[in-house]
Amino acid sequence: MGGVPSTPRWGGAAEMRPAETAEYLIGALVGEKSYPLASDYWQKLLESPLHLRWPAHRVLQASQLFAQNNCKTRHLAKILVHLAWCLQECVSASGVPSAALVRALNALYISSVFLKYFIENAKSDHFEELHLSLDENEAKPTSFSKGGGPGRFQVKIVYGILLAENYQTIEQLVMHSVLSFLGKVDVSTNTYLLHHELLNFMLIAMSTQLLSGPSPGPDDSHPLIDAMMVQESSFVSLVVSKLLLNYIRRPNFPIDSSSYSIFSEVNQTGVLQRVGSAAANFVLLPFNLFVGSTGEATRSPLAENSLNVLLILIHYRKCIETDYVKDRGDHSSEPLPKEDACFSENPYCKALENAQDIEFDRLDVEGNVQNGPLVRLPFASLFDTLGLYLADERSILLLYSMVQGNSAFLEYVLVRTDLDTLLMPMLETLYNASRRTSNQIYMVLIILLILSQDSSFNASIHKLMLPNVPWYQERLLHQTSLGSLMVIILIRTVKYNLSKLRDVYLHTNCLATLANMAPHVHRLSAYASQRLVSLFDMLARKYNKLAEMSNNKMHMPNGESKEEDNLPEDTTAELHIYTDFLRIVLEILNAILTYTLPRNPEVVYAIMHRQEVFQPFRNHPRFNELLENIFTVLDFFNSRMDAQKMDGEWSVEKVLQVIVINCRSWRGEGMKMFTQLRFTYEQESHPEEFFIPYVWQLVLSCSSFSFNPNSINLFPVDLPLEKQDSFVGEDGQKLQSGGLNGLEQQVDVLA
């Protein structure tokens, strides 16, 4: 058959060279003949040293032939059943035997190659071409045992459609076995490779999502992911715990291959492992990718893959059929309205949200027991690991998932005294915004907003002093508080994107965080105070320009303006936006002056130094009431300055000295008390429209996993997946559906 493996001829196989044996066995797998589940063929296939090095076109031809014959042979279903059996043997054995690992790896490599081809080239909406079932006349596996020697299976012959006692489908059997191994078998020198390849297999199994649209619907089919979602809660908790522990511990690939039993017994561990093709371009990372030239491990692929799988699992949403869908009928082509969509509970997301610190027992405090098994994690280690790897966008998303969904972890973060461990990498990300993706910037800003909702956080960040900030290039920042740096970076982020105003939510989020921080500001630095006043100045100049354009447009006769075509389409709307921005900045200044003026002489100095920028708005109907307190402060300190008899000109030091002295006598007389602004973040009801495409873009851009771009419907494939020139732009608007639209303002009336 040309480049396709020829039809096998039984007899004399033992006398063939190893490569010929591998060729023979793979040819039988993809051929027309169907081998029963209990046939000795499967044992020969999985126990032989299948170290083929086929070129890409041969792998593709073999995959095409396999797809052509699978509807009759059901060999994909059978190899998956044998994979499940191999994994069950590995789990049940007291020590994972090397022979069992070889069989499991071979079954894993073979099924991964062909499963990925089937998914990438699926023609049906429900993946019927997978044929994950056995014929009624086929012997069905009802139990597994290790009897008959190592690696041998006893299959009870029954007829019917039941697969096993505990599993209704092959998908459930396979995914139960995969999750069982990942959750129960520890990562060791012997098991590292199998753990890693099982995570690769899970990515392939879950990649059916890439073929669906961004809005999950009741007709979407994801058979293998759905099989993961119906597993027992104990298994779910084990898997979530193990994935997070892999991320925390970051186990390295075993360096000494001579001590790695699989490598010592067979030179090549399995079939098609070094093949790169459209069908199998992601099967096994070569050994030299795991280790550097010096022989030392340079990365932890297991930690990265564990994070990829975890993020996909926790953000998956299954849209279920409702009465509305039934009433429409099965043949309706109209998309399901958002308000009518209903989603089943995601057990992995729930397990993550209920995870507890291993050092803390909730029962001791609250006196009640949580329902179901809990994920116990070392929060301290997770906190430190996140701090080390927040440059990775996936770690940012994990941190967001933890602080947004897990109240116990959020509480733990808020009581840490070394908040710079998390905040410094995030602030550096904002500082380098031009080299980051828009979604990464959004995630960081939302995390900061969530943290700023806590008053103790806002107070503690001003007590933590930073000796220097090496990555800040505009000026030297020595002995600056973490709170002052946060104010500086947030204002810088607003200014960076303010000139284009293509993303209102970004600015709103920055200003909302600053507003939450304002009543707790303590000894804000001179530079941060100057930046705060200059932000008002910049917004004011933009506001004045828009107001002038709007007035000219209203008073201009129709058809006489040649400049009208150059005006923004909706100048009035933009003017309202800048009005709101100015009011928020004035609210921030009011909160500092009202509640913390004696502790912030630098803010008073900055306002006095640039007091002319406030004058034009003193009688403005939208701003005058917010400016009354500012001018009350200015009048108080200006009068104290005038009362001083100075020889010569005023210096910065002398002015600041007068301010510091008079701050002690400040009593706030004449100040109006306004309701204190407080902003909170809440996810919208359908965040999956943002998070599912976002997670998969991260997986495709940050890992070795690849997918046929012509088959992807989840997101536009012509968009860059790695880097963008700026976080400004329409790509940033994607977050509105699941992120910053959830920003809500809560106003607490002060007693």
Side-chain angles (χ1 to χ4, degrees):
M1 292 187 178
V4 180
S6 57
T7 303
R9 295 188 301 274
W10 289 111
E15 301 176 359
M16 295 182 181
R17 295 192 303 273
E20 293 174 341
T21 302
E23 188 94 3
Y24 180 90
L25 293 169
I26 296 298
L29 179 69
V30 304
E32 298 178 356
K33 181 178 178 180
S34 175
Y35 292 95
L37 197 62
S39 170
D40 289 341
Y41 162 77
W42 298 103
Q43 181 180 339
K44 294 178 182 179
L45 176 68
L46 300 183
E47 291 185 347
S48 298
L50 305 175
H51 48 82
L52 297 180
R53 298 191 182 186
W54 287 352
H57 73 277
R58 292 200 68 190
V59 177
L60 180 59
Q61 290 175 341
S63 300
Q64 293 170 342
L65 185 61
F66 186 81
Q68 176 182 330
N69 294 322
N70 183 58
C71 60
K72 182 177 68 173
T73 64
R74 305 296 171 99
H75 279 178
L76 179 61
K78 294 171 185 177
I79 192 70
L80 288 175
V81 169
H82 278 278
L83 169 61
W85 282 344
C86 291
L87 294 174
Q88 289 175 16
E89 182 182 6
C90 292
V91 172
S92 61
S94 56
V96 181
S98 176
L101 284 175
V102 172
R103 288 195 302 274
L105 283 169
N106 280 342
L108 198 54
Y109 297 148
I110 294 171
S111 56
S112 294
V113 171
F114 295 120
L115 179 62
K116 186 168 186 289
Y117 176 84
F118 274 115
I119 293 175
E120 284 184 317
N121 297 276
K123 299 296 189 294
S124 63
D125 294 335
H126 298 281
F127 300 97
E128 286 91 349
E129 51 265 78
L130 295 178
H131 295 291
L132 295 181
S133 62
L134 302 178
D135 292 333
E136 292 187 5
N137 295 327
E138 173 71 67
K140 303 299 189 298
T142 60
S143 66
F144 157 79
S145 73
K146 295 189 299 175
R152 297 186 180 276
F153 304 100
Q154 294 179 344
V155 183
K156 296 181 180 179
I157 307 302
V158 297
Y159 295 92
I161 59 173
L162 290 179
L163 180 66
E165 289 182 10
N166 300 322
Y167 314 108
Q168 297 180 352
T169 65
I170 288 178
E171 298 96 298
Q172 292 181 16
L173 169 67
V174 173
M175 298 320 302
H176 177 88
S177 301
V178 170
L179 297 176
S180 179
F181 183 91
L182 291 175
K184 293 182 178 180
V185 179
D186 292 332
V187 178
S188 65
T189 300
N190 285 336
T191 64
Y192 184 101
L193 190 60
L194 185 53
H195 272 277
H196 182 263
E197 289 307 313
L198 283 171
L199 293 173
N200 288 342
F201 175 81
M202 289 184 70
L203 289 178
I204 294 172
M206 296 186 291
S207 66
T208 53
Q209 284 186 291
L210 291 168
L211 277 64
S212 300
S215 299
D219 295 330
D220 291 345
S221 176
H222 306 293
L224 292 168
I225 313 181
D226 291 339
M228 300 181 208
M229 294 294 152
V230 297
Q231 300 295 330
E232 300 171 12
S233 59
S234 59
F235 275 85
V236 170
S237 298
L238 278 174
V239 171
V240 171
S241 178
K242 183 59 69 70
L243 293 176
L244 282 169
L245 289 175
N246 288 344
Y247 173 76
I248 293 169
R249 295 169 180 169
R250 312 191 75 78
N252 291 317
F253 187 79
I255 306 301
D256 185 5
S257 61
S258 63
S259 64
Y260 196 64
S261 57
I262 292 181
F263 282 104
S264 61
E265 291 182 6
V266 279
N267 184 36
Q268 302 292 339
T269 63
V271 65
L272 303 178
Q273 61 200 25
R274 293 179 183 270
V275 173
S277 70
N281 53 11
F282 170 66
V283 181
L284 171 67
L285 288 177
F287 180 76
N288 58 7
L289 289 183
F290 288 90
V291 296
S293 58
T294 61
E296 296 181 353
T298 57
R299 51 184 294 216
S300 178
L302 189 65
E304 295 178 6
N305 250 7
S306 296
L307 182 56
N308 291 335
V309 169
L310 178 65
L311 291 175
I312 294 172
L313 284 174
I314 64 176
H315 289 291
Y316 175 68
R317 293 295 181 271
K318 173 68 174 178
C319 185
I320 58 178
E321 191 175 53
T322 62
D323 293 337
Y324 173 83
V325 177
K326 294 177 181 178
D327 293 340
R328 293 195 315 164
D330 295 334
H331 302 290
S332 176
S333 59
E334 298 179 2
L336 184 67
K338 286 185 183 181
E339 59 273 14
D340 294 311
C342 183
F343 297 90
S344 59
E345 186 177 64
N346 182 325
Y348 299 87
C349 180
K350 183 179 179 180
L352 187 73
E353 292 175 348
N354 292 331
Q356 296 291 326
D357 190 358
I358 199 170
E359 301 293 335
F360 176 75
D361 191 350
R362 178 74 68 176
L363 178 62
D364 295 338
V365 176
E366 297 184 352
N368 50 27
V369 180
Q370 297 284 343
N371 293 327
L374 279 178
V375 174
R376 295 283 184 180
L377 295 171
F379 278 3
S381 299
L382 179 57
F383 180 94
D384 294 336
T385 303
L386 285 167
L388 290 173
Y389 294 96
L390 283 179
D392 186 333
E393 197 167 348
R394 293 167 295 181
S395 293
I396 290 285
L397 182 54
L398 176 61
L399 176 58
Y400 164 82
S401 302
M402 292 298 296
V403 299
Q404 192 277 329
N406 189 305
S407 59
F409 185 75
L410 176 59
E411 291 174 9
Y412 175 83
V413 170
L414 293 172
V415 300
R416 287 281 295 232
T417 57
D418 57 342
L419 286 167
D420 54 316
T421 300
L422 292 184
L423 289 185
M424 288 299 283
M426 289 192 288
L427 294 178
E428 186 177 2
T429 295
L430 294 180
Y431 180 80
N432 295 311
S434 61
R435 299 194 296 272
R436 300 290 185 264
T437 66
S438 59
N439 293 334
Q440 187 175 6
I441 298 302
Y442 272 121
M443 289 293 100
V444 170
L445 290 175
I446 293 173
I447 292 169
L448 295 179
L449 176 60
I450 292 173
L451 296 176
S452 73
Q453 294 168 194
D454 183 79
S455 58
S456 64
F457 167 84
N458 294 322
S460 60
I461 58 176
H462 289 283
K463 299 175 183 177
L464 202 159
M465 300 303 295
L466 306 171
N468 57 73
V469 185
W471 43 263
Y472 195 89
Q473 301 296 318
E474 279 79 354
R475 65 160 54 197
L476 295 176
L477 297 178
H478 291 299
Q479 294 301 318
T480 300
S481 71
L482 183 59
S484 293
L485 179 63
M486 190 166 164
V487 170
I488 292 168
I489 296 300
L490 287 172
I491 292 173
R492 187 179 186 274
T493 304
V494 172
K495 286 189 173 184
Y496 181 85
N497 199 37
L498 200 55
S499 58
K500 295 183 179 180
L501 193 63
R502 296 179 64 185
D503 198 333
V504 174
Y505 291 101
L506 183 144
H507 311 315
T508 305
N509 198 27
C510 290
L511 295 176
T513 304
L514 289 170
N516 286 345
M517 295 169 59
H520 311 280
V521 168
H522 183 83
R523 296 194 177 279
L524 196 66
S525 70
Y527 184 53
S529 302
Q530 295 166 16
R531 294 291 85 198
L532 191 56
V533 176
S534 67
L535 174 63
F536 176 84
D537 182 36
M538 183 179 181
L539 289 169
R541 285 187 279 111
K542 181 69 174 178
Y543 173 86
N544 288 331
K545 182 179 179 181
L546 288 170
E548 183 180 355
M549 293 168 62
S550 180
N551 290 335
N552 291 340
K553 188 175 181 179
M554 285 190 300
H555 295 93
M556 198 167 293
N558 293 334
E560 294 186 8
S561 174
K562 295 182 179 180
E563 298 181 357
E564 185 176 358
D565 295 336
N566 297 324
L567 292 176
E569 293 183 1
D570 196 349
T571 305
T572 303
E574 193 172 0
L575 183 62
H576 286 313
I577 290 172
Y578 273 94
T579 301
D580 292 338
F581 286 167
L582 277 174
R583 287 186 60 86
I584 293 177
V585 174
L586 289 175
E587 293 268 15
I588 293 169
L589 291 172
N590 262 279
I592 296 174
L593 297 178
T594 302
Y595 303 108
T596 64
L597 185 147
R599 301 191 299 272
N600 289 285
E602 292 288 359
V603 176
V604 176
Y605 178 87
I607 292 175
M608 291 183 67
H609 183 65
R610 300 291 306 278
Q611 55 187 288
E612 73 281 354
V613 303
F614 301 102
Q615 195 64 42
F617 298 91
R618 188 167 191 173
N619 297 319
H620 196 290
R622 291 297 305 274
F623 308 115
N624 59 349
E625 62 174 358
L626 292 173
L627 282 164
E628 288 182 13
N629 283 343
I630 293 177
F631 281 103
T632 298
V633 172
L634 286 172
D635 292 342
F636 176 85
F637 285 95
N638 283 332
S639 64
R640 298 306 188 273
M641 293 286 294
D642 294 339
Q644 296 289 325
K645 296 182 179 179
M646 293 293 297
D647 295 330
E649 297 182 356
W650 285 93
S651 65
V652 174
E653 292 76 13
K654 291 179 180 178
V655 173
L656 193 56
Q657 182 180 9
V658 172
I659 292 174
V660 171
I661 292 173
N662 285 279
C663 278
R664 299 169 188 165
S665 61
W666 170 260
R667 296 293 180 268
E669 296 177 359
M671 297 287 283
K672 290 186 177 181
M673 300 296 290
F674 292 99
T675 53
Q676 186 175 315
L677 283 184
R678 294 186 63 191
F679 292 87
T680 62
Y681 169 77
E682 294 180 3
Q683 273 191 354
E684 280 202 348
S685 57
H686 296 286
E688 67 281 345
E689 293 186 356
F690 167 74
F691 284 105
I692 293 177
Y694 179 41
V695 169
W696 275 105
Q697 288 188 55
L698 289 180
V699 170
L700 289 173
S701 63
C702 301
S703 70
S704 302
F705 184 76
S706 62
F707 201 84
N708 181 4
N710 294 325
S711 301
I712 297 177
N713 297 314
L714 187 61
F715 51 82
V717 294
D718 56 338
L719 293 180
L721 299 180
E722 295 184 3
K723 298 286 185 180
Q724 298 179 6
D725 293 336
S726 170
F727 64 83
V728 182
E730 294 179 359
D731 185 44
Q733 299 292 337
K734 291 181 182 177
L735 191 61
Q736 294 177 16
S737 62
L740 290 176
N741 263 351
L743 181 65
E744 294 185 355
Q745 176 181 334
Q746 293 182 346
V747 182
D748 293 344
V749 180
L750 297 177

